[in-house]
Amino acid sequence: MSSNNNVACPMDCYDTCQAEYSDGLVKGSKNNRVTNGKLCVNFASLLKQEYLQTAKYNSEDISLEQGLEILVDKLKNTEASRTLFYKGSGNLGVMQSASKNFFSQYGSVLTKGSLCDGGGSAGIEAGRGSVQNPPIQDLIDSDVIIVWGRNFSVTSPHIYNLVKDKTFITIDPIKTDIAKKSELHLQLNPKTDHELALMLTRVTYMNRLDDEEYLEENTEGNDWFFDICKNRPLVSYEVTTGVELNDVYKLFDIIEDKTVSIVLGLGVQKYFEGAQITRCIDSFATFVGIHKQDCGGVWYLSDSNYAYEKQFEYKGKNKKVAIPTVDFSHYDLVFIQGANPVVSAPNTKFVKEGLEKTFVVYFGTTFNDTCEYADLIIPSTEFLSKDDVRLSYGHEYIAISNKVKEASYNSISEYDLANYLIKEFNFESLKDKDEILNYYIENKVEYEKFETFEFIEDVEIEPLYKNKTQENFYLITAKNKLSLNSQFEIDNNVYLNSATNFKDDDKVKISSPYGSAIFNVKINDDIKDNCAFFFAGNRFVNYLTPNKDDEDTFSAMYQEVLIEIELC
Ligand SMILES: Nc1nc2c(c(=O)[nH]1)N[C@H]1C(S)=C(S)[C@@H](COP(=O)(O)OP(=O)(O)OC[C@H]3O[C@@H](n4cnc5c(=O)[nH]c(N)nc54)[C@H](O)[C@@H]3O)O[C@H]1N2
Ligand SMILES: Nc1nc2c(c(=O)[nH]1)N[C@H]1C(S)=C(S)[C@@H](COP(=O)(O)OP(=O)(O)OC[C@H]3O[C@@H](n4cnc5c(=O)[nH]c(N)nc54)[C@H](O)[C@@H]3O)O[C@H]1N2
Ligand code: SF4
Ligand SMILES: [Mo]
């Protein structure tokens, strides 16, 4: 066990907090700039949660050794190409990928794409060549922060804390906590962000805020992009986006002569053309000169592995399936690690039906909704009892996690499970654990600003408003302060504006082409009147969402749907 008491928050969150363990207590590290001595309410819930105490087979308690023997036996008697390895983001430590190495060598089908940030990442990469965030100091040094489709103060509370005294502008269909703290809130219609970006670019040009020389020297395709912006009369954007020109002028009054940052979130890209939408926003940012400033810039969910060599890579010829479209019933064995697809994956009915028809192995820390469908459950060791390193998608600091206590129950870490299986199958061994951890600790990745920005030159996006009527609603989800995706305190309500004429505690049936479910109504005028809002982790919302992948990246598009609501 390590004498060093550093532990990292393992959860999927921009902040990647560093903590310290002492005498059974965990405290936020004061030496970590972002953590700054504090942890959040979800971390407190993590420490209080009930861990799986034992392995289970057909719902009966068994020993860990028996569980591992059953797993090996099953794998030896199943054709590898009829097995699926499915990993979620319950723990974002680098050691989580050890098991993928085994399943790659074994020959399992793997997943591709993402349930999270895939579309947006492709959009950023297409413009700049990589998805790397500027250093956090550049955010701190800027004057104005535009929060675009991101629930900033809730989903990255520590980063917000570093900049909370800035001037904010929020672009979001919901009056979020950060929208309430903003000088200006553009409450646009969902899936119209690309149109707003084109509208803003047009006004940038009218106000002569673009720098022709900079664009000429550092970018490609700006004239094409500007041509697209000119295609439509300015006022026509008001109708479709729901944003008044007056408010657009206010935005320019606020940012004029100021250094500006955009913190861009998941909200803009939960659609079929999520990559194009994101690229339009980054193109506007370039046009108005945000990338040319000494500070400021555009922050998205950074590729935290950028420039690191993959430590567990095995170059096999494994087949890969798009993660939002996975049909579990196609496989004889499904190995699920650190995920809760029964709640978090799209099209819940399809997911459940698929899981019922296959042998499910669940490898995780807690008994979640997916465990109800598991034939074999193997407990994974809690974060305080395994060594790891966490890279961040929100800022440039890594967090180190040492094993600070012995596991109090029968469990196995991802690295040890992979090693065990590799030995049983006589496969190629993994690198030594310390060598892997030291690699990350010793190699700091520096930010490299792109050399040439490539504007989007062709925008082909099918708007959702085309099929919007008085009767249907846009579906919106955002993260909850009290939960981390499907973990901890779950809220199963639907939130609607009072103009919808529904009332508090009405029971409603909500339907989409993918399924339906019953919800309890909460009236809240922070929600735009054409939207139905649900917190991520809601056990029923994904009955309504499409199990289809987006245009470019095999990733989910939870909001590419219109829904109907009727009283029960
Ligand atoms: N407390 C807490 N923190 C978390 C998480 C959690 O579950 N709880 N989850 C973590 C994870 S996995 C991730 S990926 C990050 C994500 O963090 P965020 O990027 O903040 O993502 P969301 O919470 O989904 O919020 C997206 C925002 O976009 C808005 N939105 C929805 N549709 C549109 C649209 O069409 N246009 C615009 N402009 N806005 C739209 C929503 O109203 C919402 O405010 O947060 C991480 N942090
Ligand atoms: N409608 C809708 N659906 C969404 C979203 C949305 O905004 N709207 N958000 C999407 C996003 S951004 C994401 S990232 C996904 C998240 O979806 P998932 O990756 O499925 O995450 P969770 O549902 O939180 O489930 C994580 C599980 O990991 C387990 N776990 C925790 N720590 C460990 C560990 O150390 N080892 C192992 N083996 N297991 C562990 C926990 O028991 C927990 O149940 O959901 C997506 N689903
Ligand atoms: S803010 Fe995020 S990284 Fe920090 S303790 Fe909370 S969940 Fe963990
Ligand atoms: Mo995510």
Side-chain angles (χ1 to χ4, degrees):
M1 214 156 20
S2 173
S3 55
N4 183 323
N5 62 355
N6 276 329
V7 288
C9 172
M11 291 187 280
D12 186 347
C13 166
Y14 291 96
D15 286 357
T16 313
C17 289
Q18 179 71 67
E20 283 152 20
Y21 179 86
S22 137
D23 297 333
L25 291 177
V26 187
K27 290 200 180 120
S29 164
K30 291 198 174 112
N31 302 325
N32 182 292
R33 182 152 192 220
V34 178
T35 309
N36 196 19
K38 290 186 214 85
L39 297 167
C40 75
V41 50
N42 281 320
F43 192 88
S45 302
L46 175 74
L47 294 178
K48 277 191 285 195
Q49 75 184 339
E50 246 178 68
Y51 288 116
L52 279 165
Q53 299 290 314
T54 162
K56 286 178 192 287
Y57 184 52
N58 293 333
S59 306
E60 300 283 330
D61 289 358
I62 52 169
S63 70
L64 179 65
E65 290 66 32
Q66 285 170 316
L68 296 176
E69 276 165 26
I70 296 169
L71 176 60
V72 170
D73 188 54
K74 266 280 172 195
L75 288 170
K76 289 201 163 151
N77 290 302
T78 308
E79 196 184 315
S81 65
R82 294 195 51 85
T83 66
L84 174 76
F85 174 72
Y86 183 104
K87 184 168 93 56
S89 57
N91 178 324
L92 279 194
V94 299
M95 299 307 262
Q96 289 289 308
S97 300
S99 37
K100 185 173 173 189
N101 175 292
F102 164 76
F103 283 96
S104 305
Q105 296 200 54
Y106 170 71
S108 288
V109 176
L110 308 174
T111 63
K112 59 185 171 184
S114 137
L115 295 182
C116 176
D117 58 338
S121 296
I124 299 279
E125 193 175 344
R128 308 188 208 162
S130 68
V131 196
Q132 216 195 348
N133 281 341
I136 211 73
Q137 187 63 43
D138 285 2
L139 184 71
I140 297 172
D141 289 343
S142 60
D143 305 315
V144 179
I145 299 180
I146 303 178
V147 179
W148 200 327
R150 177 156 158 184
N151 200 3
F152 188 47
S153 52
V154 169
T155 55
S156 41
H158 291 83
I159 299 179
Y160 167 67
N161 219 28
L162 292 172
V163 293
K164 62 178 188 304
D165 298 326
K166 306 272 167 200
T167 302
F168 288 99
I169 297 170
T170 295
I171 304 176
D172 199 303
I174 309 299
K175 196 168 253 323
T176 52
D177 177 56
I178 191 68
K180 290 177 189 162
K181 294 180 167 123
S182 295
E183 197 156 317
L184 178 67
H185 175 204
L186 305 183
Q187 199 164 10
L188 83 178
N189 288 321
K191 205 186 176 187
T192 59
D193 298 271
H194 55 293
E195 297 189 26
L196 181 64
L198 300 179
M199 185 180 183
L200 293 172
T201 304
R202 189 78 175 271
V203 179
T204 303
Y205 182 81
M206 281 162 44
N207 289 1
R208 307 240 156 113
L209 289 173
D210 55 316
D211 174 343
E212 258 179 65
E213 205 179 305
Y214 168 81
L215 291 174
E216 206 51 50
E217 275 172 24
N218 299 284
T219 71
E220 271 172 26
N222 75 80
D223 36 0
W224 284 90
F225 179 63
F226 188 63
D227 272 352
I228 304 170
C229 303
K230 281 192 311 199
N231 268 346
R232 276 172 54 179
L234 209 43
V235 284
S236 77
Y237 288 121
E238 280 190 304
V239 181
T240 51
T241 61
V243 174
E244 288 177 16
L245 254 177
N246 247 345
D247 279 341
V248 166
Y249 294 140
K250 271 189 210 155
L251 181 144
F252 281 94
D253 285 345
I254 298 172
I255 67 170
E256 198 166 353
D257 300 325
K258 298 284 195 310
T259 49
V260 182
S261 293
I262 297 181
V263 289
L264 190 56
L266 284 193
V268 302
Q269 55 95 64
K270 298 180 179 185
Y271 305 104
F272 182 66
E273 307 89 342
Q276 288 191 56
I277 298 173
T278 311
R279 196 167 171 202
C280 284
I281 296 171
D282 210 16
S283 293
F284 156 67
T286 308
F287 200 85
V288 76
I290 290 182
H291 292 304
K292 114 185 155 181
Q293 309 162 135
D294 291 335
C295 59
V298 178
W299 278 257
Y300 179 60
L301 288 88
S302 183
D303 172 4
S304 57
N305 277 299
Y306 178 74
Y308 286 112
E309 281 163 27
K310 288 191 177 140
Q311 297 298 301
F312 292 110
E313 187 159 35
Y314 176 80
K315 287 202 175 82
K317 292 211 170 83
N318 307 65
K319 184 178 169 204
K320 291 186 178 159
V321 289
I323 191 162
T325 67
V326 162
D327 181 349
F328 291 111
S329 74
H330 274 178
Y331 306 95
D332 294 335
L333 181 148
V334 171
F335 184 93
I336 300 177
Q337 172 185 316
N340 192 8
V342 162
V343 175
S344 292
N347 198 340
T348 305
K349 184 165 176 273
F350 183 74
V351 169
K352 287 184 172 176
E353 283 169 2
L355 290 173
E356 266 165 10
K357 292 185 197 130
T358 180
F359 187 90
V360 177
V361 183
Y362 183 75
F363 179 43
T365 46
T366 56
F367 192 91
N368 66 17
D369 313 69
T370 302
C371 291
E372 308 274 355
Y373 294 80
D375 300 277
L376 175 66
I377 297 177
I378 311 245
S380 155
T381 304
E382 67 160 305
F383 75 108
L384 295 173
S385 306
K386 58 191 177 196
D387 297 301
D388 216 330
V389 165
R390 266 226 50 198
L391 312 175
S392 169
Y393 58 81
H395 53 72
E396 66 269 29
Y397 304 103
I398 68 167
I400 295 163
S401 215
N402 291 308
K403 175 174 174 179
V404 290
K405 66 184 202 84
E406 288 299 340
S408 55
Y409 52 91
N410 246 335
S411 62
I412 187 163
S413 71
E414 287 69 18
Y415 183 80
D416 289 345
L417 177 70
N419 258 336
Y420 170 87
L421 293 171
I422 282 170
K423 278 206 189 95
E424 288 289 320
F425 283 79
N426 283 320
F427 289 163
E428 216 174 286
S429 355
L430 297 175
K431 279 191 192 167
D432 176 66
K433 185 173 66 178
D434 290 333
E435 186 189 332
I436 294 172
L437 296 172
N438 286 333
Y439 167 77
Y440 289 104
I441 294 167
E442 285 161 11
N443 285 291
K444 189 168 161 36
V445 173
E446 297 297 334
Y447 174 60
E448 289 169 56
K449 197 162 182 164
F450 56 84
E451 285 187 1
T452 308
F453 182 90
E454 286 191 35
F455 277 88
I456 186 165
E457 295 181 6
D458 193 16
V459 179
E460 255 183 75
I461 298 172
E462 185 72 10
L464 264 179
Y465 57 69
K466 247 183 152 176
N467 295 319
K468 175 82 180 65
T469 63
Q470 293 293 338
E471 273 72 52
N472 56 23
F473 290 79
Y474 298 106
L475 177 151
I476 303 286
T477 46
K479 312 294 184 193
N480 191 341
K481 190 170 179 176
L482 301 177
S483 67
L484 209 297
N485 296 323
S486 73
Q487 301 188 73
F488 317 130
E489 267 192 45
I490 294 307
D491 179 325
N492 289 323
N493 297 300
V494 55
Y495 290 80
L496 298 171
N497 189 290
S498 55
T500 59
N501 289 330
F502 288 102
K503 295 190 191 57
D504 253 335
D505 294 325
D506 274 349
K507 295 278 173 290
V508 290
K509 180 179 177 196
I510 308 192
S511 318
S512 81
Y514 307 96
S516 64
I518 308 289
F519 296 84
N520 183 53
V521 173
K522 292 281 170 217
I523 296 299
N524 187 322
D525 286 345
D526 294 338
I527 315 302
K528 201 171 164 79
D529 57 8
N530 53 13
C531 296
F533 176 90
F534 310 81
F535 282 114
N538 183 315
R539 298 222 132 67
F540 305 101
V541 67
N542 281 326
Y543 276 96
L544 309 172
T545 54
N547 51 326
K548 292 187 175 167
D549 52 338
D550 66 349
E551 183 176 39
D552 278 341
T553 70
F554 310 106
S555 297
M557 44 174 201
Y558 289 98
Q559 293 184 184
E560 190 65 49
V561 64
L562 291 164
I563 54 180
E564 279 169 20
I565 309 180
E566 55 185 320
L567 272 176
C568 288

